[in-house]
Amino acid sequence: MMNYSLKSIFSKNYLINILITLLPLSFILGNLSININVILIIALSILFYKKDILSFKLNFVDKIVTIFFFYLFLIGTLTSLYNFYFNYLDDYTVLFKSWAYLRFLIFYIILRYLINSDFLNLKLFFISCSVCAFLVVSDIIFQFIFGVNIIGLEKIYPRHVTSFFGEEAIAGSYLQRFSLFLIFFPLFFFDNKNLIIKILFILLIALTFFALLAAGNRMPMIFFLFSIFLLIFLQKNWKKNLIFFLLVCSVVFTIMYNLFPQIKVHYGGFFVKSQRIVTSVITGNVDPKNPGWLFHGHFKEFYAGYETWKLNKIFGAGVKSFKYNCPKTSVVNCGPHPHNYYLELMADLGIIGLILFISTYLIIITKKFLSISKNKGGFYYKNYENIIFALFFVEFFPIKTTGSFFTTGNATYIVLILAILVSLLFSKNNLFIEKSFSEYKL
């Protein structure tokens, strides 16, 4: 028995699954942990499955993704080595980033192969996301109440709770990406007609939304709610649960808004500012060159992205070229990136890069909505696909503020959910996910 256990632990499928299961934890630990994890997954997968990965047949979406990465690589290389747009003689950042970014293409193809070959246990990944999200939820609440988190990190911002992320106010963004797994954990793995499970579901809703409000990241909170509305549309058999979800969130928000002054100031100010923005857009009172309140913060950065794109409209100038080009525009105090995926892709990769990206996004959305009426797949397959699709749709929603598309954390998350969703949507055999969940009943 011991020999069998050791053999199972060190089997290639087991090792790969453990590494992928650890990805949600890696996002908490930081970029170094993410990079190590991704490199290990790539290295071991090539070691174990090299011939099969090389012979893996790419579908239409895979080919567009591959073209996008090679275009990124080509533009970055040409603009760096041949100085098409500016002098890179003393700085090869764009060249290095373009080459290094190819690891995410390899990561994507490996994930597609592992899922389609039924080597990746998506249930373990679901559980890992749930556990890590619960850890962050608990830690945010603890730090919000006591001013220090469970490992001793102090609360350093008056309106943000950062939890394990230290000086980075991204705890809300983490929950927006991973907390759906936690909330729907009871409905996936237990009898949802059981009263205790219903109470657990309600409790997880309340705790998660409390943590999102306390984290202070307003856009992630809004898009978290948006993902729930999307699930209401997609998941008819969960409609009652999801509507109840919104009621619980409303109660939690009302209590926190009236009980905690910092919450009232933070979210009340956001509401007023949003109202002014909408009014200005409707009335046409928008002047990008006016250094008024509307073009402070992210709006100024959006404008910077647009102005930078105008320098190299068709091809762009390569990954991370924004910081070289933006100072050449009329924009004052350029930020590190435009804080919007689409504007960043326009500025760095031009119209061609943007078209390749949007093509992938639209093909997946079209495929999903065309498949809704077909009622494809079993219980786990449909529900898992809907959650992943909601996360994907919200991640690339055009009108939102984002981090940089090309950072390690964002790129890893994008490739991860993209590979899973493409595998679910375009697979001719959906039995692998049903098997993945049913083999390991809780």
Side-chain angles (χ1 to χ4, degrees), residues 203-419:
L203 183 62
L204 289 175
I205 292 172
L207 290 175
T208 300
F209 196 64
F210 185 104
L212 273 164
L213 288 171
N217 304 113
R218 295 174 294 198
M219 291 307 294
M221 184 202 68
I222 290 173
F223 281 97
F224 167 79
L225 293 175
F226 182 48
S227 66
I228 299 302
F229 279 106
L230 183 57
L231 280 172
I232 290 175
F233 174 76
L234 296 173
Q235 199 69 38
K236 294 181 180 180
N237 60 317
W238 282 359
K239 186 167 289 188
K240 291 182 179 179
N241 290 323
L242 293 170
I243 292 174
F244 189 69
F245 174 99
L246 296 175
L247 292 175
V248 173
C249 288
S250 299
V251 171
V252 172
F253 180 81
T254 302
I255 293 173
M256 291 189 69
Y257 187 83
N258 290 284
L259 194 60
F260 300 103
Q262 66 269 38
I263 297 293
K264 188 171 186 177
V265 171
H266 191 53
Y267 290 95
F270 179 70
F271 175 77
V272 172
K273 189 173 181 180
S274 300
Q275 195 174 38
R276 292 171 67 185
I277 292 171
V278 173
T279 302
S280 296
V281 172
I282 291 175
T283 59
N285 184 25
V286 178
D287 180 8
K289 296 182 180 180
N290 183 352
W293 68 269
L294 184 59
F295 281 87
H296 285 168
H298 291 316
F299 289 93
K300 175 180 69 65
E301 288 156 349
F302 291 169
Y303 181 63
Y306 170 74
E307 287 294 304
T308 304
W309 165 71
K310 287 163 63 175
L311 298 178
N312 305 292
K313 293 182 179 179
I314 306 300
F315 300 106
V319 177
K320 298 291 185 181
S321 61
F322 175 81
K323 71 175 183 178
Y324 297 97
N325 276 334
C326 186
K328 296 182 179 182
T329 67
S330 60
V331 176
V332 179
N333 299 323
C334 293
H337 55 84
H339 284 85
N340 177 275
Y341 287 154
Y342 296 88
L343 289 171
E344 184 177 17
L345 288 170
M346 284 172 57
D348 283 359
L349 300 179
I351 286 295
I352 293 179
L354 182 65
I355 289 174
L356 289 171
F357 174 76
I358 291 178
S359 297
T360 304
Y361 187 53
L362 292 180
I363 289 170
I364 289 175
I365 290 175
T366 303
K367 176 68 174 179
K368 175 59 182 175
F369 284 102
L370 287 176
S371 68
I372 290 175
S373 61
K374 295 181 181 180
N375 199 29
K376 178 180 92 170
F379 173 82
Y380 296 118
Y381 188 96
K382 290 184 295 182
N383 295 344
Y384 199 108
E385 181 184 282
N386 287 338
I387 289 176
I388 298 295
F389 178 77
L391 294 174
F392 172 83
F393 187 88
V394 166
E395 184 69 19
F396 300 116
F397 192 75
I399 309 174
K400 66 176 286 194
T401 57
T402 67
S404 173
F405 186 92
F406 301 109
T407 59
T408 296
N410 286 338
T412 303
Y413 178 77
I414 288 168
V415 167
L416 181 63
I417 61 169
L418 178 62

Side-chain angles (χ1 to χ4, degrees), residues 119-179:
F119 292 150
L120 183 59
N121 191 317
L122 291 175
K123 180 175 183 178
L124 293 178
F125 178 73
F126 192 114
I127 294 172
S128 174
C129 291
S130 303
V131 171
C132 290
F134 182 74
L135 180 63
V136 173
V137 164
S138 304
D139 194 64
I140 288 173
I141 295 173
F142 190 90
Q143 192 176 49
F144 180 77
I145 296 173
F146 298 104
V148 62
N149 83 330
I150 59 177
I151 62 173
L153 295 176
E154 294 183 357
K155 184 175 182 290
I156 57 178
Y157 301 115
R159 297 186 184 181
H160 294 281
V161 176
T162 59
S163 182
F164 300 108
F165 303 97
E167 296 181 357
E168 293 186 277
I170 58 173
S173 297
Y174 183 89
L175 290 184
Q176 186 256 306
R177 286 176 165 180
F178 292 102
S179 62

Side-chain angles (χ1 to χ4, degrees), residues 19-264:
L19 288 172
I20 293 175
T21 300
L22 288 174
L23 278 171
L25 178 61
S26 296
F27 281 94
I28 297 175
L29 297 177
N31 285 340
L32 177 60
S33 178
I34 295 173
N35 271 321
I36 291 173
N37 203 341
V38 169
I39 290 171
L40 284 175
I41 292 170
I42 291 173
L44 290 178
S45 297
I46 292 175
L47 178 64
F48 297 150
Y49 311 111
K50 180 180 178 181
K51 292 182 179 179
D52 294 328
I53 292 172
L54 290 174
S55 62
F56 178 69
K57 292 184 178 180
L58 303 179
N59 63 28
F60 184 64
V61 176
D62 297 332
K63 291 175 182 177
I64 296 178
V65 172
T66 302
I67 293 171
F68 172 82
F69 275 96
F70 277 110
Y71 173 78
L72 177 154
F73 168 79
L74 181 63
I75 291 299
T77 301
L78 292 177
T79 56
S80 295
L81 296 181
Y82 295 97
N83 306 315
F84 280 174
Y85 301 118
F86 28 69
N87 189 357
Y88 279 155
L89 292 178
D90 299 321
D91 192 336
Y92 291 95
T93 300
V94 174
L95 178 65
F96 174 75
K97 293 291 184 182
S98 300
W99 284 57
Y101 207 74
L102 284 178
R103 71 189 186 278
F104 294 110
L105 172 60
I106 300 171
F107 183 50
Y108 170 81
I109 294 174
I110 285 173
L111 287 173
R112 289 278 292 111
Y113 165 75
L114 291 173
I115 297 171
N116 274 38
S117 301
D118 196 18
F119 292 150
L120 183 59
N121 191 317
L122 291 175
K123 180 175 183 178
L124 293 178
F125 178 73
F126 192 114
I127 294 172
S128 174
C129 291
S130 303
V131 171
C132 290
F134 182 74
L135 180 63
V136 173
V137 164
S138 304
D139 194 64
I140 288 173
I141 295 173
F142 190 90
Q143 192 176 49
F144 180 77
I145 296 173
F146 298 104
V148 62
N149 83 330
I150 59 177
I151 62 173
L153 295 176
E154 294 183 357
K155 184 175 182 290
I156 57 178
Y157 301 115
R159 297 186 184 181
H160 294 281
V161 176
T162 59
S163 182
F164 300 108
F165 303 97
E167 296 181 357
E168 293 186 277
I170 58 173
S173 297
Y174 183 89
L175 290 184
Q176 186 256 306
R177 286 176 165 180
F178 292 102
S179 62
L180 287 186
F181 296 99
L182 171 63
I183 290 170
F184 294 107
F185 186 89
L187 303 185
F188 252 70
F189 299 113
F190 300 96
D191 181 7
N192 55 34
K193 296 180 180 180
N194 187 297
L195 179 60
I196 296 176
I197 299 305
K198 289 183 178 180
I199 294 173
L200 177 61
F201 178 65
I202 296 170
L203 183 62
L204 289 175
I205 292 172
L207 290 175
T208 300
F209 196 64
F210 185 104
L212 273 164
L213 288 171
N217 304 113
R218 295 174 294 198
M219 291 307 294
M221 184 202 68
I222 290 173
F223 281 97
F224 167 79
L225 293 175
F226 182 48
S227 66
I228 299 302
F229 279 106
L230 183 57
L231 280 172
I232 290 175
F233 174 76
L234 296 173
Q235 199 69 38
K236 294 181 180 180
N237 60 317
W238 282 359
K239 186 167 289 188
K240 291 182 179 179
N241 290 323
L242 293 170
I243 292 174
F244 189 69
F245 174 99
L246 296 175
L247 292 175
V248 173
C249 288
S250 299
V251 171
V252 172
F253 180 81
T254 302
I255 293 173
M256 291 189 69
Y257 187 83
N258 290 284
L259 194 60
F260 300 103
Q262 66 269 38
I263 297 293
K264 188 171 186 177

